Amino acid sequence: MGADSSLRSRFEHGLDAPICLTWELTYACNMSCSHCLSASGRRDPRELTTAEARTFIDEVAAMRVFYINVGGGEPMIRRDFFELVGYAVDRGVGVKFSTNGTRIDAGAAKRLASMDYLDVQVSLDGADASTNDRLRGAGSYAAARRAMEHLADADFGEFKISVVVTRENVTQLDDFAAIAAHYGAQLRLTRLRPSGRGVDSWADLHPTREQNRSLYHWLIDHPRVLTGDSFFHLSPLGQPLDGLNLCGAGRVVCLVDPVGDVYACPFVIHERFRAGSIRDGGFGAVWRSSELFGSLREPGSAGACSACGSYDACRGGCMAAKFFTGLELDDPDPECVYGLGEAALAAHPVSIRPRSAPDHSRARVRSLSVPESLR
Amino acid sequence: MADDPRPFARTEHWALSDEVSMRDESFGALAYHHGTRRLVFVKSPLLVDVVRRLGDYDNVDDALGALVQPADRERYALALAALADSEILRGC
């Protein structure tokens, strides 16, 4: 996007409406990925009704939010999934939805292909079954590839293959690109966050400093690969990566969870970052008046990073990554390219790490990768 | 995915792409292209007005002649060319 600095500062002070927001439709999921941001599994009995969901979409459309990222849980598990997606795109709100692909059969693929302003992101976290299924569960690689076949057969067009970059799959970037090319799809890479069940798996799964350096250069060499602006902590390594290169939490993005709670971003489903509920006076009221969002729109302090010449490039990195690793919000990012985050982590006792809450994991899946039968 | 954008020409008819949503902001507007996923700043309220009404005119020069002061027309033509380049505008 190449925002110049004056426009970036407008973003830092927040917009009257988000550019986009993430809406987790349900906490229900037929998988139990070990890095699930929303610690999903069981449906929450308080999830929004269809009528509430439509009212929410009406409000988002009136605020001219450009698009919503629909996720979960597995969003296609909701019986009103197609109804709600159709309702949004008919009102000019674009929908990108993330799915594990298990519910995309030939019929669903045709239906998706017939809709405008709709984009599908099929999750794949390994370029081969063993790498992928270690994180996402037995059979999940085959299910995702089947969904991709159906989307390609239905002439969906350029759907997205969405990869969370880990220590294990960071060596497979060219293989992911080849899989995307095979389907005429576009590759999307995002950053692993220590959120949800990732609180437990992040330390073992996040890329090493050396790997992050290779990742940065790979991204520079592959400008067509989408990143959801998620690697701005790597920008001090050279030219900035494409995107806004700032933390948009509560400023230009936010998250609405399945029960209507509004959080600052998709990676901080935790009471500390809960701004309010759309059930109390609607989404707009929360976006405009939440005390939390007000404070996030104040100029931030560079804190421990103020002595670093690269603060302008990375803005201290990701708030969620710091919070869930037990760091202070003005500490360096735990994956700071200069290793300053590792030093800060070493100085913090592991015991003070916050837990993700709420947690909808099914029994005994927390920190274990239990093979799931796929429906 | 759209085909390669056609080259911008002031003597031709251009209009806001139907794949683009544009939203007024205090500094002008934000334009979002649903196909390319690119977010673009439209940096002045007058440019926003020109972009919105461009499609009502037979060609770009006619629109600039009607909507923009003579001294500013070259500058606005460059801004429109940049928006055409990022597929916010579509030649038709």
Side-chain angles (χ1 to χ4, degrees):
Chain A
M1 279 175 248
D4 66 39
S5 59
S6 67
L7 289 164
R8 182 159 90 169
S9 85
R10 288 185 191 278
F11 277 10
E12 286 182 330
H13 294 114
L15 297 174
D16 294 341
I19 292 170
C20 65
L21 60 85
T22 300
W23 182 15
E24 313 289 30
L25 268 193
T26 177
Y27 280 118
C29 194
N30 54 347
M31 289 194 185
S32 305
C33 306
S34 58
H35 57 326
C36 178
L37 294 170
S38 55
S40 285
R42 288 169 292 111
R43 194 183 88 84
D44 191 306
R46 302 165 302 150
E47 289 181 3
L48 299 180
T49 64
T50 304
E52 285 178 312
R54 289 165 73 117
T55 303
F56 171 57
I57 293 167
D58 286 338
E59 199 178 3
V60 163
M63 290 173 76
R64 314 279 320 258
V65 173
F66 291 118
Y67 62 93
I68 51 180
N69 299 301
V70 167
E74 169 51 51
M76 294 184 79
I77 282 180
R78 260 190 84 126
R79 281 196 201 92
D80 54 6
F81 170 78
F82 277 103
E83 177 186 345
L84 294 177
V85 166
Y87 192 81
V89 297
D90 287 349
R91 276 152 192 78
V93 180
V95 173
K96 310 183 198 315
F97 82 92
S98 297
T99 176
N100 59 32
T102 51
R103 295 291 175 103
I104 300 184
D105 56 15
K110 281 203 189 80
R111 204 164 166 189
L112 294 168
S114 72
M115 298 167 91
D116 287 331
Y117 300 113
L118 176 79
D119 214 340
V120 185
Q121 304 179 159
V122 181
S123 296
L124 191 73
D125 293 332
D128 54 63
S130 71
T131 309
N132 179 81
D133 291 6
R134 263 201 303 281
L135 255 70
R136 304 185 58 82
S140 57
Y141 181 84
R145 293 295 298 255
R146 240 182 345 259
M148 293 174 197
E149 297 285 349
H150 286 309
L151 289 168
D153 289 348
D155 285 326
F156 179 88
E158 203 172 37
F159 67 89
K160 310 298 182 275
I161 298 176
S162 210
V163 177
V164 175
V165 179
T166 68
R167 197 169 297 177
E168 298 177 0
N169 69 24
V170 70
T171 54
Q172 303 177 328
L173 301 181
D174 290 328
D175 303 326
F176 285 118
I179 294 172
H182 170 74
Y183 292 115
Q186 198 173 6
L187 182 60
R188 177 174 181 268
L189 302 180
T190 57
R191 180 178 179 188
L192 175 80
R193 302 305 206 295
S195 318
R197 282 194 291 274
V199 167
D200 296 313
S201 53
W202 180 84
D204 296 327
L205 286 178
H206 77 85
T208 64
R209 249 167 92 196
E210 195 56 43
Q211 289 175 332
N212 270 328
R213 230 186 325 265
S214 320
L215 167 64
Y216 168 83
H217 292 291
W218 195 90
L219 289 171
I220 292 290
D221 291 342
H222 296 79
R224 281 261 303 143
V225 171
L226 300 167
T227 61
D229 281 10
S230 68
F231 295 108
F232 63 92
H233 65 302
L234 304 182
S235 280
L237 289 170
Q239 67 183 97
L241 294 165
D242 195 27
L244 291 176
N245 282 298
L246 63 86
C247 166
R251 296 161 162 168
V252 298
V253 301
C254 69
L255 170 109
V256 176
D257 91 339
V259 302
D261 284 340
V262 184
Y263 295 92
C265 86
F267 318 114
V268 285
I269 302 181
H270 187 281
E271 190 56 34
R272 163 90 183 269
F273 296 100
R274 184 180 168 276
S277 167
I278 67 169
R279 282 175 161 149
D280 303 328
F283 171 72
V286 177
W287 179 261
R288 285 184 293 269
S289 317
S290 134
E291 223 170 274
L292 170 73
F293 286 180
S295 70
L296 292 174
R297 294 165 192 166
E298 299 283 326
S301 132
C305 299
S306 54
C308 175
S310 295
Y311 181 71
D312 248 11
C314 76
R315 315 300 279 181
C318 171
M319 180 176 81
K322 297 187 230 194
F323 178 72
F324 283 117
T325 50
L327 296 177
E328 300 298 328
L329 299 189
D330 60 0
D331 273 337
D333 187 288
E335 291 179 79
C336 164
V337 299
Y338 301 122
L340 302 172
E342 288 160 47
L345 277 179
H348 278 71
V350 171
S351 57
I352 62 162
R353 275 189 213 158
R355 303 301 301 176
S356 183
D359 188 340
H360 292 77
S361 301
R362 273 171 277 141
R364 295 192 310 281
V365 301
R366 188 147 200 136
S367 80
L368 294 170
S369 188
V370 174
E372 291 295 314
S373 62
L374 299 171
R375 281 174 280 174
Chain B
M1 202 56 174
D3 299 330
D4 281 347
R6 99 183 203 194
F8 182 71
R10 291 168 62 166
T11 52
E12 290 172 5
H13 180 251
W14 282 73
L16 185 61
S17 163
D18 55 11
E19 284 190 84
V20 171
S21 300
M22 193 158 71
R23 180 172 102 185
D24 289 339
E25 299 287 343
S26 56
F27 52 83
L30 285 171
Y32 178 74
H33 193 295
H34 291 273
T36 64
R37 294 191 170 195
R38 287 189 85 84
L39 184 70
V40 171
F41 299 98
V42 185
K43 293 183 189 175
S44 84
L46 178 58
L47 183 58
V48 174
D49 193 41
V50 173
V51 166
R52 286 228 163 86
R53 295 164 67 181
L54 191 59
D56 298 340
Y57 295 86
D58 287 343
N59 60 59
V60 176
D61 276 329
D62 282 3
L64 291 171
L67 302 171
V68 180
Q69 295 295 322
D72 292 332
R73 282 177 198 155
E74 290 306 314
R75 204 158 52 83
Y76 275 74
L78 286 175
L80 292 177
L83 291 172
D85 203 40
S86 51
E87 300 176 52
I88 298 298
L89 304 178
R90 174 174 287 176
C92 36

